[in-house]
Amino acid sequence: MDDKLRIIISGGGTGGHIFPAVSIANAIKGKHPDADILFVGAIGRMEMQRVPAAGYRIVGLPICGFDRKNMFKNVSVLLKIWKSQRMAKDIIRKFRPMAAVGVGGYASGPTLNECAKHGIPCLIQEQNSYAGVTNKILAKKVDRICVAYDGMERFFPADKIIKTGNPVRQALLDTAVTQAAARRSMGLDETKKTILIVGGSLGARTMNESVMRHLDDMKASGVQFVWQTGKYYNASIKERLKGRDDLPMLKVTDFISDMGAAYKAADLVISRAGASSISEFCLIGKPVILVPSPNVAEDHQTKNALALVNKDAALYVKDADAPDKVISLALDTVKDDARLAALSANIKKLALPDSADVIADEVIRLARSGKTKH
């Protein structure tokens, strides 16, 4: 009898889906080093690069989302869904998974759908306070649903829900570097107050515009900044910064590979309010100003943010107000040590540690129970 675990993990699209997926995979490997883990993603999406970089195999499906503006284009979308279902069936037949994990995103739909059809135990992980479309569709077919927020019974069957929190990138928690060393590694002055500005894995126009409007205020503040523009916006930002050689306190980058060091270097972060980011801030106790993205289902990032703000665990600026207000709020806050300490203490109280381990244990249990059942 083959006792080696074979697990499929499917989904992606953004860092908010990919980072938890990799964390779950790492936790499974930590418990069963010989486990065979196969990722299934969507061709052309971020997971096709990030997952191999984390050391895992991934196969891509040609699936994409529906075009709500041009319904005629959805003929090709339906064809891609049909083709993805066929490919998922073939992947499952060859790999013979003992359990499947869906983290949200286009690819998890056909993959977990096929696994459920074949009686393979399935688990989905929902990161947000408002459930994604794919996870809502899959909910009736899966065995377990891991969530990070209370009240998710309005989306999912209550008897399947386990509140686990969101897995985070282990490297963030394992960073042993000191704040001074982290700043030196990033070319920063280790004695100066530091603000990190991030717009999520793809960048954010609002964050970038907020910085561009306040370059002179930032220069005069005596504070230094690390600004992740996102790859999509980086070229245009560099073009707009031409001739501004008077900004040595501003470190501009398209992508930060070592977020553990970046968070360690910062006294304060300005960030979107994605569920994975919030989980990271809670676990490391990092003071943060949240600027929720308005371009998400049911405005769930605002709900994520207010859950912290109501416990005095974060500050919050509306997306529409950010270009005028967020930099001045950040400069006032970063110079107030008592405020920073209170925000840090309060956000740390909301942490749900060991999420990846708890989910991994559940996946392994499902895989074993599925084998017994078969």
Side-chain angles (χ1 to χ4, degrees):
M1 188 178 284
D2 184 3
D3 282 338
K4 184 177 174 182
L5 283 176
R6 294 182 305 280
I7 309 293
I8 273 183
I9 301 179
S10 185
T14 67
H17 293 310
I18 298 162
F19 297 138
V22 170
S23 295
I24 294 167
N26 290 342
I28 293 169
K29 278 284 196 182
K31 297 167 189 293
H32 289 268
D34 65 340
D36 195 358
I37 298 175
L38 177 67
F39 280 75
V40 180
I43 292 168
R45 304 289 286 185
M46 190 188 298
E47 59 266 24
M48 301 308 292
Q49 283 77 46
R50 297 284 173 83
V51 168
Y56 292 99
R57 287 186 299 144
I58 187 167
V59 291
L61 303 179
I63 194 163
C64 61
F66 283 103
D67 190 323
R68 292 186 176 89
K69 293 178 183 174
N70 187 341
M71 297 308 288
F72 290 109
K73 288 186 179 177
N74 288 327
V75 174
S76 66
V77 174
L78 289 168
L79 187 63
K80 287 177 179 178
I81 291 172
W82 176 81
K83 189 176 179 184
S84 295
Q85 287 281 172
R86 295 278 302 255
M87 289 176 67
K89 189 173 183 177
D90 196 46
I91 291 164
I92 291 157
R93 181 178 57 80
K94 290 177 180 173
F95 184 68
R96 297 180 300 117
M98 297 160 71
V101 179
V103 294
Y106 301 133
S108 63
T111 307
L112 268 74
N113 210 16
E114 278 301 321
C115 284
K117 272 187 197 174
H118 287 79
I120 296 160
C122 297
L123 174 151
I124 55 175
Q125 199 257 328
E126 175 55 59
Q127 297 92 27
N128 288 296
S129 57
Y130 189 88
V133 173
T134 304
N135 278 349
K136 282 194 280 188
I137 293 168
L138 290 169
K140 290 179 182 176
K141 302 176 182 180
V142 304
D143 301 270
R144 295 285 186 278
I145 302 169
C146 296
V147 302
Y149 290 86
D150 293 322
M152 298 303 283
E153 297 84 2
R154 60 202 168 116
F155 305 112
F156 303 132
D159 61 335
K160 296 182 181 182
I161 293 175
I162 307 170
K163 189 179 177 187
T164 59
N166 286 323
V168 303
R169 293 169 281 187
Q170 194 60 38
L172 299 181
L173 308 181
D174 293 343
T175 300
V177 67
T178 64
Q179 186 174 74
R183 287 177 179 173
R184 284 197 303 273
S185 73
M186 302 182 79
L188 299 168
D189 184 328
E190 62 186 71
T191 64
K192 285 188 177 180
K193 291 281 190 177
T194 304
I195 296 173
L196 171 65
I197 304 165
V198 287
S201 50
L202 300 175
R205 183 184 311 210
T206 299
M207 302 292 205
N208 295 341
E209 202 52 47
S210 301
V211 174
M212 290 303 300
R213 284 196 198 180
H214 294 274
L215 292 174
D216 291 332
D217 295 332
M218 293 161 74
K219 180 184 173 183
S221 68
V223 175
Q224 59 192 354
F225 300 82
V226 178
W227 175 20
Q228 182 200 288
T229 63
K231 290 187 178 180
Y232 180 80
Y233 300 102
N234 194 248
S236 63
I237 292 294
K238 283 185 174 175
E239 187 64 31
R240 291 172 69 184
L241 286 172
K242 273 187 180 172
R244 291 301 306 254
D245 298 327
D246 58 333
L247 302 169
M249 70 325 144
L250 181 62
K251 300 291 179 185
V252 185
T253 181
D254 61 342
F255 177 74
I256 299 171
S257 57
D258 188 353
M259 284 304 297
Y263 284 153
K264 185 72 81 164
D267 296 289
L268 176 69
V269 180
I270 303 173
S271 172
R272 286 304 202 193
S276 291
S277 296
I278 284 179
S279 295
E280 292 172 355
F281 300 139
C282 291
L283 283 162
I284 61 175
K286 187 58 61 175
V288 61
I289 300 174
L290 297 168
V291 183
S293 170
N295 307 312
V296 293
E298 296 293 312
D299 197 24
H300 69 251
Q301 284 204 6
T302 296
K303 296 181 178 79
N304 292 350
L306 292 177
L308 272 66
V309 171
N310 292 337
K311 293 181 170 68
D312 195 29
L315 302 177
Y316 155 67
V317 177
K318 284 184 180 178
D319 184 83
D321 296 337
D324 290 329
K325 296 181 178 178
V326 75
I327 295 298
S328 57
L329 175 62
L331 289 172
D332 289 343
T333 306
V334 82
K335 294 174 183 178
D336 185 341
D337 289 337
R339 188 79 182 107
L340 290 176
L343 287 168
S344 178
N346 291 340
I347 199 169
K348 210 159 191 177
K349 291 174 189 171
L350 304 179
L352 285 168
D354 306 319
S355 297
D357 278 328
V358 174
I359 296 169
D361 285 338
E362 201 59 42
V363 174
I364 293 163
R365 195 176 299 123
L366 285 174
R368 295 300 185 208
S369 70
K371 194 171 85 166
T372 304
K373 189 165 59 181
H374 283 93

